[in-house]
Amino acid sequence: MAGALAAKRVVPLRARRDEDKEARRRELLDAARALFEATSFAQVKMADVAARTGLAKGTVFLYFPTKEALFLALLDDLLTAWFAKLNERLAQGGTWTGHQLARAVAVSLEGEETFTRLLALMQTVLEQNVTVAQTQAFKERVLGAMGTTAALLQERLPFLTPETAGQVIRHVHALMTGLRQMADIAPVAREVLTLPHMAPLRVDFTAELTAAITTLLRGLEAR
Amino acid sequence: MAGALAAKRVVPLRARRDEDKEARRRELLDAARALFEATSFAQVKMADVAARTGLAKGTVFLYFPTKEALFLALLDDLLTAWFAKLNERLAQGGTWTGHQLARAVAVSLEGEETFTRLLALMQTVLEQNVTVAQTQAFKERVLGAMGTTAALLQERLPFLTPETAGQVIRHVHALMTGLRQMADIAPVAREVLTLPHMAPLRVDFTAELTAAITTLLRGLEAR
DNA sequence: CTTGACCAATGACCCGGGGTCATTTAACTG
DNA sequence: CAGTTAAATGACCCCGGGTCATTGGTCAAG
């Protein structure tokens, strides 16, 4: 059975080389992600994350000093990936309509619930129990990606100024997190929202986000 | 000293009449609010809430079954109060510009950080450990207030349809929670954001919300 | 191949905070 | 004033995040 276990393992029992450590780190992030997707931040236990990778609880804390740090690292990855995806789309030349841009953003977020859910948790939860260094590294990365996006935004939508481009990004960020929270709901709330007269409180994330960004951009253009 | 204690107490040691129970409930909500304003949801301990009212921890749980239920009740109060305030403003007759409406909303939220902070926590935290009944009661109340607001919105801004009025409310809600989270930041993050080059990540809640709503409404009118 | 040093992994342990409940006693009643 | 009710108490339980002395894989020098 020791053999069977070893066969399952991608990473050696003891990760001593840097690349093995990195691989183990990834395993832990993947486990955390899978558990988070199935439940919620509060419900994910560090012991479960460990168990899912076949490690002991204490080991997780060798890679991440706190639960919040683990999830902030996960968010960091997802955010980088998302910005890359979005910026790639935005690099497709030519002038766009506001609606096209809104669609592009909404589509880029399709299947990225995990990302937006974590984003919504960031300021209220994830930045609570984390070192200054990690927070700064994270924000540094956001800043870089945002700069690229702002530049591309101005290329696609010529009516944007450097100032309004930045504003658009902040407002889209706010809408993403706000709408995600309204759309993606605790089981208790889901049950309640099933009632017919609760319809006005139900939110379709993609549709609503597209509509909001489109309207926002039309407003900027009309100025 | 028993006398001194009694003098301090508004509510009798044992609240047996319904109105005394209600008063005690209020005391607890006030204590929770004060502590939350000074720190964060995670940092508020039920024992502290109890101590602040001169009661034992167990007593708090006679009034609220869980920590989340306590804070959802607090949010319920604040939300009702805010909607009342806003609707009162919106009742001032005549036709408004989109910018006027945006200002009215932003101003109504001035000094209501507690409300928006809790609102941002609602779906991610507060609806986690709460009975269906309480959730439903809460949502029922939101629904009622929203209906009134939607109607008033259409009076002030004639270019709104019943459908777009509802949309505006949902988008404003999303912006409120999203921007609050961006503006109102954990101490760690605050420190990081002080750095000069982090300026683009700093958010002035009132200014940004006003701008976003104004643009949104201009976009709707221009359609 | 063997040996020893290193350090990743372990898991028993600690602790703080949410939540419970048998007991106590303040508040009302006749 | 004695009896009844039920609000308040606080010792207690439990769970989950986080710690650290100990164990034993891993690797490289001989």
Side-chain angles (χ1 to χ4, degrees):
Chain A
M1 57 252 151
L5 195 65
K8 238 183 167 180
R9 283 209 172 286
V10 186
V11 184
L13 222 52
R14 301 286 169 100
R16 299 196 60 151
R17 292 179 309 167
D18 279 359
E19 73 181 271
D20 285 340
K21 286 191 197 173
E22 182 52 31
R24 176 130 300 160
R25 195 184 132 93
R26 288 242 61 78
E27 283 186 344
L28 290 167
L29 286 170
D30 288 346
R33 177 179 181 162
L35 293 168
F36 176 71
E37 284 173 356
T39 60
S40 68
F41 177 76
Q43 283 173 64
V44 175
K45 290 165 232 166
M46 293 301 264
D48 293 346
V49 174
R52 204 187 161 89
T53 56
L55 297 168
K57 184 170 63 154
T59 308
V60 182
F61 289 91
L62 298 179
Y63 290 83
F64 302 96
T66 63
K67 183 180 177 183
E68 287 78 10
L70 166 62
F71 279 90
L72 186 54
L74 179 56
L75 174 58
D76 203 332
D77 281 3
L78 295 175
L79 182 120
T80 304
W82 176 70
F83 260 121
K85 193 208 278 189
L86 178 66
N87 287 345
E88 198 178 343
R89 261 172 210 283
L90 287 181
Q92 318 283 355
T95 301
W96 291 11
T97 64
H99 184 257
Q100 281 178 308
L101 192 271
R103 281 298 302 161
V105 173
V107 167
S108 77
L109 286 170
E110 218 117 81
E112 303 276 348
E113 290 81 19
T114 315
F115 165 52
T116 42
R117 283 177 65 202
L118 277 175
L119 197 60
L121 279 178
M122 180 175 46
Q123 289 88 344
T124 32
V125 180
L126 300 188
E127 279 182 355
Q128 291 285 336
N129 196 8
V130 153
T131 65
V132 176
Q134 195 186 3
T135 304
Q136 178 163 358
F138 176 80
K139 296 218 176 277
E140 221 67 79
R141 208 168 339 266
V142 175
L143 211 54
M146 260 179 57
T148 311
T149 305
L152 288 170
L153 230 45
Q154 287 179 73
E155 284 183 29
R156 298 292 82 76
L157 303 175
F159 60 86
L160 290 182
T161 66
E163 198 189 326
T164 51
Q167 209 176 61
V168 167
I169 293 182
R170 287 196 299 280
H171 294 175
V172 168
H173 179 175
L175 285 165
M176 277 166 52
T177 59
L179 287 172
R180 169 57 64 207
Q181 284 178 311
M182 296 165 77
D184 180 272
I185 293 266
V188 202
R190 173 152 296 141
E191 185 180 332
V192 172
L193 288 183
T194 309
L195 302 167
H197 71 287
M198 286 286 180
L201 293 181
R202 286 196 287 268
V203 168
D204 174 341
F205 180 74
T206 302
E208 210 80 47
L209 183 64
T210 309
I213 299 179
T214 305
T215 311
L216 209 56
L217 291 172
R218 190 186 301 119
L220 273 180
E221 191 168 9
R223 196 162 62 166
Chain B
M1 57 252 149
L5 195 66
K8 239 185 167 179
R9 285 209 170 286
V10 187
V11 183
L13 220 52
R14 304 284 172 102
R16 299 193 57 148
R17 293 180 309 167
D18 279 358
E19 71 181 274
D20 286 339
K21 287 191 197 174
E22 182 52 33
R24 177 130 299 162
R25 195 184 132 92
R26 287 243 60 81
E27 283 186 344
L28 290 168
L29 287 170
D30 288 346
R33 177 180 181 160
L35 293 168
F36 176 71
E37 283 172 356
T39 60
S40 68
F41 177 78
Q43 283 173 63
V44 175
K45 291 165 232 165
M46 293 301 264
D48 292 347
V49 174
R52 203 186 161 90
T53 56
L55 296 169
K57 184 170 65 153
T59 308
V60 182
F61 289 90
L62 298 179
Y63 289 83
F64 302 95
T66 63
K67 184 180 176 184
E68 287 78 9
L70 166 63
F71 279 89
L72 186 55
L74 179 56
L75 173 58
D76 202 332
D77 281 3
L78 294 175
L79 181 120
T80 304
W82 176 70
F83 261 121
K85 194 209 279 188
L86 178 65
N87 287 344
E88 197 178 344
R89 263 174 209 282
L90 286 181
Q92 317 284 355
T95 301
W96 289 12
T97 64
H99 184 257
Q100 281 179 305
L101 192 270
R103 283 295 304 159
V105 173
V107 167
S108 77
L109 286 170
E110 218 117 83
E112 302 276 348
E113 289 82 19
T114 315
F115 165 52
T116 43
R117 283 178 64 203
L118 278 175
L119 198 59
L121 280 179
M122 179 175 47
Q123 290 89 345
T124 32
V125 181
L126 300 188
E127 280 182 355
Q128 290 286 339
N129 198 6
V130 152
T131 64
V132 175
Q134 197 186 1
T135 304
Q136 176 162 2
F138 177 79
K139 296 220 175 274
E140 220 67 80
R141 209 169 336 268
V142 175
L143 211 55
M146 261 180 58
T148 312
T149 305
L152 288 169
L153 229 46
Q154 287 179 71
E155 283 183 30
R156 298 292 82 76
L157 303 175
F159 60 85
L160 290 182
T161 65
E163 197 190 325
T164 53
Q167 210 176 61
V168 167
I169 294 183
R170 286 197 299 279
H171 295 175
V172 168
H173 179 175
L175 285 166
M176 277 166 52
T177 59
L179 287 172
R180 167 57 66 208
Q181 284 179 311
M182 296 165 77
D184 178 270
I185 295 266
V188 202
R190 172 152 296 139
E191 186 181 330
V192 171
L193 288 183
T194 310
L195 303 167
H197 71 287
M198 287 284 182
L201 292 181
R202 286 196 287 270
V203 167
D204 175 341
F205 180 75
T206 302
E208 210 80 47
L209 183 65
T210 309
I213 298 178
T214 305
T215 310
L216 210 56
L217 291 172
R218 192 185 301 118
L220 271 181
E221 192 168 10
R223 196 161 63 162

